[in-house]
Amino acid sequence: GDQVEQSPSALSLHEGTDSALRCNFTTTMRSVQWFRQNSRGSLISLFYLASGTKENGRLKSAFDSKERRYSTLHIRDAQLEDSGTYFCAAEKGGGTGSKLSFGKGAKLTVSP
Amino acid sequence: GGIITQTPKFLIGQEGQKLTLKCQQNFNHDTMYWYRQDSGKGLRLIYYSITENDLQKGDLSEGYDASREKKSSFSLTVTSAQKNEMAVFLCASSMQGWEQYFGPGTRLTVL
């Protein structure tokens, strides 16, 4: 079954507002990565976390360091260029390679 | 910084055809990956390779072959294209256990 449950699946924001996306994991994960996919399909890495929080401009991500079973992506002061589909992906670890399990994505639309 | 290139950008094939997609990275990363993305959905892992000549199956390997010819390149072959199939194939690379970086994708359409 799916190891990564992402919510919400779609979100509409007005410019200047704040919101958050969340991913829950059905098992303990070693790391999480957040991506934004633009209209051309390019997947851009926003954050990679093995624990704690990271911040970059108006974006901030957190990975639950205790049980390692959820992660959040906060968007502050949303801008039109934030529109796109956001994916989280998590790695369980414990084996070879770095196999990521992806959520189904959250389509964000920012309007004036 | 580095870059991942995928060729071709667009691929149109016929039902039953064997189709090959190529990926090159200059990050000097050990591990490379092939994912498939269907419209409006997340990514699913087809194959990955942790070093040259290594090959590991992902969740979606049936119907595909892959080849890690050298450290910087990883090819994916659709062994028999399915009619009306449409998907984007994304290549990625990483150092073992670290952040993955993605290429721009190859968009496949099968007539």
mmCIF file of all heavy atoms in Angstrom, chain A residues 30-31 33 35 37 39-43 45-48 87 91 95-105, chain B residues 31 33 35 37 40-43 45 48 50 56-57 59 90 94-100 102-104 107:
data_model
loop_
_atom_site.group_PDB
_atom_site.id
_atom_site.type_symbol
_atom_site.label_atom_id
_atom_site.label_comp_id
_atom_site.label_asym_id
_atom_site.label_seq_id
_atom_site.Cartn_x
_atom_site.Cartn_y
_atom_site.Cartn_z
ATOM 1 N N ARG A 30 13.568 7.611 7.089
ATOM 2 C CA ARG A 30 14.898 8.129 7.392
ATOM 3 C C ARG A 30 15.036 9.589 6.984
ATOM 4 O O ARG A 30 15.696 10.386 7.651
ATOM 5 C CB ARG A 30 15.960 7.288 6.683
ATOM 6 C CG ARG A 30 17.385 7.555 7.121
ATOM 7 C CD ARG A 30 18.383 6.781 6.253
ATOM 8 N NE ARG A 30 18.601 7.435 4.973
ATOM 9 C CZ ARG A 30 19.487 8.406 4.760
ATOM 10 N NH1 ARG A 30 20.238 8.850 5.750
ATOM 11 N NH2 ARG A 30 19.609 8.943 3.562
ATOM 12 N N SER A 31 14.425 9.939 5.859
ATOM 13 C CA SER A 31 14.545 11.310 5.358
ATOM 14 C C SER A 31 13.342 11.649 4.505
ATOM 15 O O SER A 31 12.599 10.762 4.072
ATOM 16 C CB SER A 31 15.836 11.483 4.546
ATOM 17 O OG SER A 31 15.776 10.691 3.369
ATOM 18 N N GLN A 33 12.007 14.529 1.308
ATOM 19 C CA GLN A 33 12.377 15.550 0.340
ATOM 20 C C GLN A 33 11.086 16.175 -0.193
ATOM 21 O O GLN A 33 10.104 15.467 -0.439
ATOM 22 C CB GLN A 33 13.189 14.908 -0.812
ATOM 23 C CG GLN A 33 14.050 15.864 -1.566
ATOM 24 C CD GLN A 33 15.069 15.157 -2.471
ATOM 25 O OE1 GLN A 33 15.350 13.966 -2.362
ATOM 26 N NE2 GLN A 33 15.618 15.913 -3.402
ATOM 27 N N PHE A 35 9.413 18.661 -3.223
ATOM 28 C CA PHE A 35 9.642 19.136 -4.587
ATOM 29 C C PHE A 35 8.470 20.015 -5.026
ATOM 30 O O PHE A 35 7.341 19.853 -4.562
ATOM 31 C CB PHE A 35 9.702 17.961 -5.577
ATOM 32 C CG PHE A 35 10.782 16.966 -5.324
ATOM 33 C CD1 PHE A 35 10.554 15.871 -4.500
ATOM 34 C CD2 PHE A 35 12.022 17.096 -5.933
ATOM 35 C CE1 PHE A 35 11.543 14.920 -4.278
ATOM 36 C CE2 PHE A 35 13.020 16.155 -5.721
ATOM 37 C CZ PHE A 35 12.772 15.077 -4.886
ATOM 38 N N GLN A 37 6.747 20.892 -8.781
ATOM 39 C CA GLN A 37 6.757 20.586 -10.210
ATOM 40 C C GLN A 37 6.052 21.726 -10.938
ATOM 41 O O GLN A 37 4.905 22.058 -10.631
ATOM 42 C CB GLN A 37 6.056 19.257 -10.497
ATOM 43 C CG GLN A 37 6.215 18.792 -11.931
ATOM 44 C CD GLN A 37 5.787 17.351 -12.110
ATOM 45 O OE1 GLN A 37 4.777 16.908 -11.580
ATOM 46 N NE2 GLN A 37 6.560 16.585 -12.874
ATOM 47 N N SER A 39 4.801 23.934 -14.526
ATOM 48 C CA SER A 39 3.880 23.602 -15.621
ATOM 49 C C SER A 39 4.577 22.861 -16.753
ATOM 50 O O SER A 39 3.934 22.149 -17.522
ATOM 51 C CB SER A 39 3.215 24.876 -16.159
ATOM 52 O OG SER A 39 4.210 25.795 -16.568
ATOM 53 N N ARG A 40 5.894 22.984 -16.838
ATOM 54 C CA ARG A 40 6.634 22.255 -17.883
ATOM 55 C C ARG A 40 7.002 20.844 -17.426
ATOM 56 O O ARG A 40 7.572 20.083 -18.184
ATOM 57 C CB ARG A 40 7.897 23.023 -18.267
ATOM 58 C CG ARG A 40 7.622 24.293 -19.053
ATOM 59 C CD ARG A 40 8.903 25.017 -19.365
ATOM 60 N NE ARG A 40 9.607 25.371 -18.144
ATOM 61 C CZ ARG A 40 10.842 25.840 -18.124
ATOM 62 N NH1 ARG A 40 11.532 25.987 -19.236
ATOM 63 N NH2 ARG A 40 11.418 26.139 -16.988
ATOM 64 N N GLY A 41 6.694 20.534 -16.162
ATOM 65 C CA GLY A 41 6.963 19.192 -15.668
ATOM 66 C C GLY A 41 8.272 19.040 -14.940
ATOM 67 O O GLY A 41 8.583 17.952 -14.439
ATOM 68 N N SER A 42 9.060 20.102 -14.851
ATOM 69 C CA SER A 42 10.345 20.014 -14.151
ATOM 70 C C SER A 42 10.123 19.896 -12.646
ATOM 71 O O SER A 42 9.304 20.610 -12.076
ATOM 72 C CB SER A 42 11.186 21.255 -14.438
ATOM 73 O OG SER A 42 11.532 21.293 -15.792
ATOM 74 N N LEU A 43 10.866 18.988 -12.036
ATOM 75 C CA LEU A 43 10.737 18.703 -10.604
ATOM 76 C C LEU A 43 11.910 19.367 -9.899
ATOM 77 O O LEU A 43 13.061 18.963 -10.074
ATOM 78 C CB LEU A 43 10.773 17.196 -10.405
ATOM 79 C CG LEU A 43 10.053 16.585 -9.214
ATOM 80 C CD1 LEU A 43 8.580 16.894 -9.259
ATOM 81 C CD2 LEU A 43 10.265 15.078 -9.217
ATOM 82 N N SER A 45 13.856 20.451 -6.484
ATOM 83 C CA SER A 45 13.999 20.097 -5.080
ATOM 84 C C SER A 45 13.936 21.352 -4.224
ATOM 85 O O SER A 45 14.656 22.316 -4.461
ATOM 86 C CB SER A 45 15.338 19.380 -4.856
ATOM 87 O OG SER A 45 15.478 19.039 -3.505
ATOM 88 N N LEU A 46 13.042 21.347 -3.239
ATOM 89 C CA LEU A 46 12.910 22.479 -2.325
ATOM 90 C C LEU A 46 13.686 22.241 -1.037
ATOM 91 O O LEU A 46 14.393 23.116 -0.557
ATOM 92 C CB LEU A 46 11.428 22.718 -2.001
ATOM 93 C CG LEU A 46 10.517 23.025 -3.179
ATOM 94 C CD1 LEU A 46 9.057 23.065 -2.724
ATOM 95 C CD2 LEU A 46 10.894 24.339 -3.840
ATOM 96 N N PHE A 47 13.489 21.080 -0.448
ATOM 97 C CA PHE A 47 14.141 20.751 0.817
ATOM 98 C C PHE A 47 14.467 19.266 0.855
ATOM 99 O O PHE A 47 13.736 18.446 0.314
ATOM 100 C CB PHE A 47 13.229 21.049 2.020
ATOM 101 C CG PHE A 47 12.912 22.498 2.219
ATOM 102 C CD1 PHE A 47 11.670 22.997 1.864
ATOM 103 C CD2 PHE A 47 13.844 23.354 2.766
ATOM 104 C CE1 PHE A 47 11.367 24.329 2.040
ATOM 105 C CE2 PHE A 47 13.554 24.696 2.950
ATOM 106 C CZ PHE A 47 12.317 25.179 2.592
ATOM 107 N N TYR A 48 15.572 18.974 1.538
ATOM 108 C CA TYR A 48 15.910 17.612 1.911
ATOM 109 C C TYR A 48 16.165 17.639 3.413
ATOM 110 O O TYR A 48 16.971 18.429 3.898
ATOM 111 C CB TYR A 48 17.162 17.135 1.168
ATOM 112 C CG TYR A 48 17.703 15.835 1.678
ATOM 113 C CD1 TYR A 48 17.186 14.628 1.243
ATOM 114 C CD2 TYR A 48 18.745 15.813 2.610
ATOM 115 C CE1 TYR A 48 17.676 13.428 1.717
ATOM 116 C CE2 TYR A 48 19.235 14.619 3.087
ATOM 117 C CZ TYR A 48 18.706 13.435 2.647
ATOM 118 O OH TYR A 48 19.199 12.244 3.115
ATOM 119 N N PHE A 87 5.206 17.932 -4.256
ATOM 120 C CA PHE A 87 5.313 16.521 -3.887
ATOM 121 C C PHE A 87 6.228 16.377 -2.680
ATOM 122 O O PHE A 87 7.260 17.047 -2.592
ATOM 123 C CB PHE A 87 5.913 15.690 -5.026
ATOM 124 C CG PHE A 87 5.003 15.521 -6.213
ATOM 125 C CD1 PHE A 87 5.110 16.372 -7.308
ATOM 126 C CD2 PHE A 87 4.071 14.499 -6.249
ATOM 127 C CE1 PHE A 87 4.285 16.219 -8.408
ATOM 128 C CE2 PHE A 87 3.237 14.339 -7.350
ATOM 129 C CZ PHE A 87 3.349 15.205 -8.429
ATOM 130 N N GLU A 91 12.213 8.468 2.268
ATOM 131 C CA GLU A 91 13.073 7.309 2.123
ATOM 132 C C GLU A 91 13.103 6.544 3.432
ATOM 133 O O GLU A 91 13.326 7.133 4.490
ATOM 134 C CB GLU A 91 14.483 7.760 1.749
ATOM 135 C CG GLU A 91 15.414 6.633 1.395
ATOM 136 C CD GLU A 91 16.798 6.808 1.991
ATOM 137 O OE1 GLU A 91 17.135 7.932 2.375
ATOM 138 O OE2 GLU A 91 17.530 5.810 2.065
ATOM 139 N N GLY A 95 18.459 -0.087 3.459
ATOM 140 C CA GLY A 95 18.798 -0.960 2.336
ATOM 141 C C GLY A 95 19.743 -0.261 1.395
ATOM 142 O O GLY A 95 20.284 0.786 1.725
ATOM 143 N N THR A 96 19.893 -0.811 0.215
ATOM 144 C CA THR A 96 20.786 -0.181 -0.759
ATOM 145 C C THR A 96 20.044 0.887 -1.546
ATOM 146 O O THR A 96 18.831 0.844 -1.681
ATOM 147 C CB THR A 96 21.333 -1.218 -1.746
ATOM 148 O OG1 THR A 96 20.222 -1.886 -2.339
ATOM 149 C CG2 THR A 96 22.213 -2.214 -1.023
ATOM 150 N N GLY A 97 20.788 1.842 -2.047
ATOM 151 C CA GLY A 97 20.160 2.922 -2.809
ATOM 152 C C GLY A 97 19.409 3.852 -1.883
ATOM 153 O O GLY A 97 19.465 3.739 -0.664
ATOM 154 N N SER A 98 18.716 4.799 -2.432
ATOM 155 C CA SER A 98 17.925 5.751 -1.657
ATOM 156 C C SER A 98 16.542 5.789 -2.257
ATOM 157 O O SER A 98 16.118 6.784 -2.822
ATOM 158 C CB SER A 98 18.559 7.147 -1.731
ATOM 159 O OG SER A 98 19.913 7.080 -1.397
ATOM 160 N N LYS A 99 15.792 4.718 -2.134
ATOM 161 C CA LYS A 99 14.499 4.617 -2.802
ATOM 162 C C LYS A 99 13.503 5.561 -2.160
ATOM 163 O O LYS A 99 13.229 5.477 -0.966
ATOM 164 C CB LYS A 99 13.989 3.182 -2.700
ATOM 165 C CG LYS A 99 14.806 2.199 -3.508
ATOM 166 C CD LYS A 99 14.436 0.762 -3.183
ATOM 167 C CE LYS A 99 13.007 0.448 -3.529
ATOM 168 N NZ LYS A 99 12.693 -0.986 -3.304
ATOM 169 N N LEU A 100 12.940 6.463 -2.971
ATOM 170 C CA LEU A 100 11.942 7.396 -2.495
ATOM 171 C C LEU A 100 10.547 6.884 -2.798
ATOM 172 O O LEU A 100 10.294 6.386 -3.887
ATOM 173 C CB LEU A 100 12.122 8.756 -3.188
ATOM 174 C CG LEU A 100 13.314 9.619 -2.792
ATOM 175 C CD1 LEU A 100 13.354 10.886 -3.628
ATOM 176 C CD2 LEU A 100 13.283 9.950 -1.313
ATOM 177 N N SER A 101 9.647 7.052 -1.820
ATOM 178 C CA SER A 101 8.227 6.814 -2.048
ATOM 179 C C SER A 101 7.560 8.179 -2.106
ATOM 180 O O SER A 101 7.692 8.983 -1.176
ATOM 181 C CB SER A 101 7.634 5.991 -0.905
ATOM 182 O OG SER A 101 8.206 4.708 -0.866
ATOM 183 N N PHE A 102 6.837 8.432 -3.198
ATOM 184 C CA PHE A 102 6.242 9.731 -3.429
ATOM 185 C C PHE A 102 4.791 9.785 -2.975
ATOM 186 O O PHE A 102 4.047 8.804 -3.108
ATOM 187 C CB PHE A 102 6.297 10.072 -4.919
ATOM 188 C CG PHE A 102 7.606 10.651 -5.361
ATOM 189 C CD1 PHE A 102 8.706 9.833 -5.552
ATOM 190 C CD2 PHE A 102 7.732 12.006 -5.580
ATOM 191 C CE1 PHE A 102 9.922 10.360 -5.955
ATOM 192 C CE2 PHE A 102 8.938 12.548 -5.984
ATOM 193 C CZ PHE A 102 10.031 11.729 -6.172
ATOM 194 N N GLY A 103 4.382 10.961 -2.478
ATOM 195 C CA GLY A 103 2.972 11.238 -2.305
ATOM 196 C C GLY A 103 2.349 11.528 -3.649
ATOM 197 O O GLY A 103 3.053 11.649 -4.666
ATOM 198 N N LYS A 104 1.044 11.686 -3.675
ATOM 199 C CA LYS A 104 0.339 11.903 -4.942
ATOM 200 C C LYS A 104 0.331 13.354 -5.373
ATOM 201 O O LYS A 104 -0.161 13.674 -6.456
ATOM 202 C CB LYS A 104 -1.087 11.358 -4.843
ATOM 203 C CG LYS A 104 -1.099 9.847 -4.734
ATOM 204 C CD LYS A 104 -2.499 9.274 -4.706
ATOM 205 C CE LYS A 104 -2.388 7.745 -4.681
ATOM 206 N NZ LYS A 104 -3.685 7.085 -4.521
ATOM 207 N N GLY A 105 0.853 14.233 -4.548
ATOM 208 C CA GLY A 105 0.981 15.628 -4.952
ATOM 209 C C GLY A 105 -0.135 16.510 -4.431
ATOM 210 O O GLY A 105 -1.238 16.050 -4.142
ATOM 211 N N THR B 31 24.408 6.944 -7.507
ATOM 212 C CA THR B 31 23.129 6.282 -7.739
ATOM 213 C C THR B 31 22.292 7.043 -8.757
ATOM 214 O O THR B 31 22.221 8.272 -8.724
ATOM 215 C CB THR B 31 22.351 6.163 -6.415
ATOM 216 O OG1 THR B 31 23.219 5.612 -5.408
ATOM 217 C CG2 THR B 31 21.153 5.241 -6.568
ATOM 218 N N TYR B 33 18.386 6.826 -11.031
ATOM 219 C CA TYR B 33 17.034 6.296 -10.906
ATOM 220 C C TYR B 33 16.225 6.613 -12.160
ATOM 221 O O TYR B 33 16.425 7.641 -12.792
ATOM 222 C CB TYR B 33 16.302 6.951 -9.730
ATOM 223 C CG TYR B 33 17.059 7.010 -8.440
ATOM 224 C CD1 TYR B 33 18.033 7.984 -8.218
ATOM 225 C CD2 TYR B 33 16.792 6.109 -7.414
ATOM 226 C CE1 TYR B 33 18.728 8.051 -7.032
ATOM 227 C CE2 TYR B 33 17.480 6.178 -6.210
ATOM 228 C CZ TYR B 33 18.438 7.145 -6.025
ATOM 229 O OH TYR B 33 19.125 7.206 -4.840
ATOM 230 N N TYR B 35 12.055 6.989 -12.948
ATOM 231 C CA TYR B 35 10.700 7.025 -12.435
ATOM 232 C C TYR B 35 9.733 7.226 -13.599
ATOM 233 O O TYR B 35 10.065 7.846 -14.605
ATOM 234 C CB TYR B 35 10.505 8.210 -11.482
ATOM 235 C CG TYR B 35 11.257 8.133 -10.191
ATOM 236 C CD1 TYR B 35 12.555 8.634 -10.081
ATOM 237 C CD2 TYR B 35 10.664 7.606 -9.053
ATOM 238 C CE1 TYR B 35 13.245 8.593 -8.878
ATOM 239 C CE2 TYR B 35 11.340 7.564 -7.847
ATOM 240 C CZ TYR B 35 12.621 8.059 -7.765
ATOM 241 O OH TYR B 35 13.299 8.018 -6.572
ATOM 242 N N GLN B 37 5.867 8.914 -14.311
ATOM 243 C CA GLN B 37 4.799 9.732 -13.765
ATOM 244 C C GLN B 37 3.646 9.734 -14.751
ATOM 245 O O GLN B 37 3.802 10.166 -15.894
ATOM 246 C CB GLN B 37 5.260 11.168 -13.502
ATOM 247 C CG GLN B 37 4.184 12.006 -12.825
ATOM 248 C CD GLN B 37 4.629 13.411 -12.517
ATOM 249 O OE1 GLN B 37 5.497 13.961 -13.170
ATOM 250 N NE2 GLN B 37 4.037 14.012 -11.483
ATOM 251 N N GLY B 40 -1.274 13.635 -13.535
ATOM 252 C CA GLY B 40 -1.957 13.937 -12.281
ATOM 253 C C GLY B 40 -1.592 13.028 -11.125
ATOM 254 O O GLY B 40 -2.289 13.019 -10.113
ATOM 255 N N LYS B 41 -0.513 12.280 -11.281
ATOM 256 C CA LYS B 41 -0.155 11.324 -10.216
ATOM 257 C C LYS B 41 1.278 11.537 -9.749
ATOM 258 O O LYS B 41 2.050 12.286 -10.345
ATOM 259 C CB LYS B 41 -0.346 9.900 -10.718
ATOM 260 C CG LYS B 41 -1.786 9.573 -11.030
ATOM 261 C CD LYS B 41 -1.965 8.109 -11.369
ATOM 262 C CE LYS B 41 -3.427 7.820 -11.648
ATOM 263 N NZ LYS B 41 -3.629 6.444 -12.102
ATOM 264 N N GLY B 42 1.621 10.831 -8.687
ATOM 265 C CA GLY B 42 2.983 10.880 -8.174
ATOM 266 C C GLY B 42 3.920 10.021 -9.005
ATOM 267 O O GLY B 42 3.533 9.424 -10.008
ATOM 268 N N LEU B 43 5.158 9.955 -8.581
ATOM 269 C CA LEU B 43 6.183 9.216 -9.310
ATOM 270 C C LEU B 43 6.307 7.800 -8.771
ATOM 271 O O LEU B 43 6.208 7.581 -7.559
ATOM 272 C CB LEU B 43 7.537 9.911 -9.158
ATOM 273 C CG LEU B 43 7.796 11.131 -10.044
ATOM 274 C CD1 LEU B 43 6.912 12.305 -9.679
ATOM 275 C CD2 LEU B 43 9.261 11.517 -9.958
ATOM 276 N N LEU B 45 8.879 4.331 -8.962
ATOM 277 C CA LEU B 45 10.240 3.922 -9.296
ATOM 278 C C LEU B 45 10.217 2.701 -10.195
ATOM 279 O O LEU B 45 9.585 1.690 -9.869
ATOM 280 C CB LEU B 45 11.005 3.621 -8.005
ATOM 281 C CG LEU B 45 12.461 3.235 -8.139
ATOM 282 C CD1 LEU B 45 13.283 4.391 -8.718
ATOM 283 C CD2 LEU B 45 13.025 2.826 -6.780
ATOM 284 N N TYR B 48 16.622 1.380 -10.447
ATOM 285 C CA TYR B 48 17.687 2.247 -9.991
ATOM 286 C C TYR B 48 19.004 1.483 -10.009
ATOM 287 O O TYR B 48 19.024 0.251 -10.135
ATOM 288 C CB TYR B 48 17.390 2.849 -8.604
ATOM 289 C CG TYR B 48 17.359 1.883 -7.454
ATOM 290 C CD1 TYR B 48 18.409 1.835 -6.539
ATOM 291 C CD2 TYR B 48 16.252 1.066 -7.236
ATOM 292 C CE1 TYR B 48 18.372 0.973 -5.459
ATOM 293 C CE2 TYR B 48 16.213 0.204 -6.156
ATOM 294 C CZ TYR B 48 17.261 0.161 -5.262
ATOM 295 O OH TYR B 48 17.220 -0.690 -4.196
ATOM 296 N N ILE B 50 23.004 1.587 -8.167
ATOM 297 C CA ILE B 50 23.823 2.222 -7.139
ATOM 298 C C ILE B 50 25.283 2.407 -7.569
ATOM 299 O O ILE B 50 26.054 3.094 -6.896
ATOM 300 C CB ILE B 50 23.758 1.472 -5.794
ATOM 301 C CG1 ILE B 50 24.279 0.038 -5.939
ATOM 302 C CG2 ILE B 50 22.354 1.483 -5.236
ATOM 303 C CD1 ILE B 50 24.376 -0.693 -4.600
ATOM 304 N N GLN B 56 18.892 -2.455 -10.013
ATOM 305 C CA GLN B 56 17.966 -2.881 -8.974
ATOM 306 C C GLN B 56 16.549 -2.580 -9.449
ATOM 307 O O GLN B 56 16.290 -1.484 -9.957
ATOM 308 C CB GLN B 56 18.217 -2.097 -7.677
ATOM 309 C CG GLN B 56 19.655 -2.060 -7.211
ATOM 310 C CD GLN B 56 20.040 -3.298 -6.453
ATOM 311 O OE1 GLN B 56 19.186 -4.036 -5.995
ATOM 312 N NE2 GLN B 56 21.339 -3.543 -6.322
ATOM 313 N N LYS B 57 15.637 -3.529 -9.222
ATOM 314 C CA LYS B 57 14.249 -3.312 -9.650
ATOM 315 C C LYS B 57 13.519 -2.411 -8.659
ATOM 316 O O LYS B 57 13.683 -2.529 -7.447
ATOM 317 C CB LYS B 57 13.523 -4.653 -9.744
ATOM 318 C CG LYS B 57 13.974 -5.498 -10.917
ATOM 319 C CD LYS B 57 13.139 -6.756 -11.031
ATOM 320 C CE LYS B 57 13.585 -7.566 -12.237
ATOM 321 N NZ LYS B 57 12.779 -8.793 -12.410
ATOM 322 N N ASP B 59 9.393 -0.572 -8.096
ATOM 323 C CA ASP B 59 8.040 -1.110 -7.954
ATOM 324 C C ASP B 59 7.365 -1.400 -9.283
ATOM 325 O O ASP B 59 6.350 -2.085 -9.343
ATOM 326 C CB ASP B 59 7.179 -0.106 -7.170
ATOM 327 C CG ASP B 59 7.760 0.166 -5.798
ATOM 328 O OD1 ASP B 59 8.227 -0.784 -5.144
ATOM 329 O OD2 ASP B 59 7.754 1.339 -5.375
ATOM 330 N N LEU B 90 11.062 10.241 -15.702
ATOM 331 C CA LEU B 90 12.002 11.155 -15.046
ATOM 332 C C LEU B 90 13.209 10.389 -14.533
ATOM 333 O O LEU B 90 13.073 9.362 -13.871
ATOM 334 C CB LEU B 90 11.309 11.867 -13.889
ATOM 335 C CG LEU B 90 10.239 12.878 -14.324
ATOM 336 C CD1 LEU B 90 9.222 13.103 -13.243
ATOM 337 C CD2 LEU B 90 10.898 14.196 -14.690
ATOM 338 N N SER B 94 21.719 10.717 -7.256
ATOM 339 C CA SER B 94 22.060 11.146 -5.893
ATOM 340 C C SER B 94 23.351 10.476 -5.462
ATOM 341 O O SER B 94 23.742 9.441 -6.011
ATOM 342 C CB SER B 94 20.942 10.780 -4.914
ATOM 343 O OG SER B 94 20.940 9.388 -4.643
ATOM 344 N N MET B 95 23.980 11.062 -4.467
ATOM 345 C CA MET B 95 24.994 10.312 -3.744
ATOM 346 C C MET B 95 24.229 9.319 -2.870
ATOM 347 O O MET B 95 23.098 9.576 -2.481
ATOM 348 C CB MET B 95 25.841 11.240 -2.870
ATOM 349 C CG MET B 95 26.761 12.133 -3.669
ATOM 350 S SD MET B 95 27.857 11.224 -4.765
ATOM 351 C CE MET B 95 28.945 10.441 -3.573
ATOM 352 N N GLN B 96 24.837 8.211 -2.557
ATOM 353 C CA GLN B 96 24.170 7.170 -1.770
ATOM 354 C C GLN B 96 23.578 7.756 -0.497
ATOM 355 O O GLN B 96 24.278 8.324 0.319
ATOM 356 C CB GLN B 96 25.196 6.077 -1.428
ATOM 357 C CG GLN B 96 24.691 5.021 -0.490
ATOM 358 C CD GLN B 96 23.867 3.970 -1.205
ATOM 359 O OE1 GLN B 96 23.509 4.134 -2.365
ATOM 360 N NE2 GLN B 96 23.577 2.893 -0.530
ATOM 361 N N GLY B 97 22.255 7.621 -0.360
ATOM 362 C CA GLY B 97 21.598 8.052 0.864
ATOM 363 C C GLY B 97 21.337 9.524 0.986
ATOM 364 O O GLY B 97 20.961 9.986 2.061
ATOM 365 N N TRP B 98 21.517 10.281 -0.085
ATOM 366 C CA TRP B 98 21.322 11.729 -0.011
ATOM 367 C C TRP B 98 20.281 12.219 -0.998
ATOM 368 O O TRP B 98 19.657 11.466 -1.713
ATOM 369 C CB TRP B 98 22.658 12.449 -0.222
ATOM 370 C CG TRP B 98 23.589 12.253 0.928
ATOM 371 C CD1 TRP B 98 24.589 11.320 1.027
ATOM 372 C CD2 TRP B 98 23.588 12.951 2.175
ATOM 373 N NE1 TRP B 98 25.191 11.418 2.244
ATOM 374 C CE2 TRP B 98 24.610 12.390 2.964
ATOM 375 C CE3 TRP B 98 22.825 13.999 2.692
ATOM 376 C CZ2 TRP B 98 24.891 12.847 4.249
ATOM 377 C CZ3 TRP B 98 23.108 14.456 3.962
ATOM 378 C CH2 TRP B 98 24.120 13.886 4.725
ATOM 379 N N GLU B 99 20.133 13.525 -1.049
ATOM 380 C CA GLU B 99 19.129 14.213 -1.850
ATOM 381 C C GLU B 99 19.173 13.812 -3.317
ATOM 382 O O GLU B 99 20.257 13.677 -3.894
ATOM 383 C CB GLU B 99 19.395 15.701 -1.722
ATOM 384 C CG GLU B 99 18.433 16.633 -2.409
ATOM 385 C CD GLU B 99 18.752 18.076 -2.062
ATOM 386 O OE1 GLU B 99 19.793 18.310 -1.415
ATOM 387 O OE2 GLU B 99 17.957 18.959 -2.449
ATOM 388 N N GLN B 100 17.988 13.626 -3.926
ATOM 389 C CA GLN B 100 17.911 13.278 -5.339
ATOM 390 C C GLN B 100 17.663 14.530 -6.177
ATOM 391 O O GLN B 100 16.876 15.393 -5.808
ATOM 392 C CB GLN B 100 16.785 12.264 -5.574
ATOM 393 C CG GLN B 100 17.096 10.902 -4.993
ATOM 394 C CD GLN B 100 16.108 9.834 -5.388
ATOM 395 O OE1 GLN B 100 15.431 9.934 -6.418
ATOM 396 N NE2 GLN B 100 16.022 8.792 -4.585
ATOM 397 N N PHE B 102 16.624 15.803 -10.157
ATOM 398 C CA PHE B 102 15.875 15.264 -11.279
ATOM 399 C C PHE B 102 16.208 15.949 -12.604
ATOM 400 O O PHE B 102 16.504 17.150 -12.639
ATOM 401 C CB PHE B 102 14.373 15.395 -11.018
ATOM 402 C CG PHE B 102 13.851 14.324 -10.104
ATOM 403 C CD1 PHE B 102 14.061 14.392 -8.738
ATOM 404 C CD2 PHE B 102 13.163 13.241 -10.626
ATOM 405 C CE1 PHE B 102 13.599 13.385 -7.900
ATOM 406 C CE2 PHE B 102 12.686 12.237 -9.796
ATOM 407 C CZ PHE B 102 12.907 12.304 -8.431
ATOM 408 N N GLY B 103 16.094 15.177 -13.670
ATOM 409 C CA GLY B 103 16.191 15.718 -15.013
ATOM 410 C C GLY B 103 14.845 16.283 -15.455
ATOM 411 O O GLY B 103 13.855 16.176 -14.738
ATOM 412 N N PRO B 104 14.804 16.868 -16.666
ATOM 413 C CA PRO B 104 13.588 17.535 -17.151
ATOM 414 C C PRO B 104 12.504 16.585 -17.658
ATOM 415 O O PRO B 104 11.381 17.003 -17.878
ATOM 416 C CB PRO B 104 14.107 18.412 -18.288
ATOM 417 C CG PRO B 104 15.327 17.702 -18.764
ATOM 418 C CD PRO B 104 15.938 17.056 -17.573
ATOM 419 N N ARG B 107 8.777 12.837 -22.413
ATOM 420 C CA ARG B 107 7.329 12.638 -22.531
ATOM 421 C C ARG B 107 7.040 11.624 -23.617
ATOM 422 O O ARG B 107 7.372 11.854 -24.766
ATOM 423 C CB ARG B 107 6.646 13.971 -22.842
ATOM 424 C CG ARG B 107 6.473 14.828 -21.611
ATOM 425 C CD ARG B 107 6.605 16.310 -21.908
ATOM 426 N NE ARG B 107 6.646 17.069 -20.671
ATOM 427 C CZ ARG B 107 7.741 17.230 -19.918
ATOM 428 N NH1 ARG B 107 8.891 16.703 -20.293
ATOM 429 N NH2 ARG B 107 7.690 17.910 -18.809
#
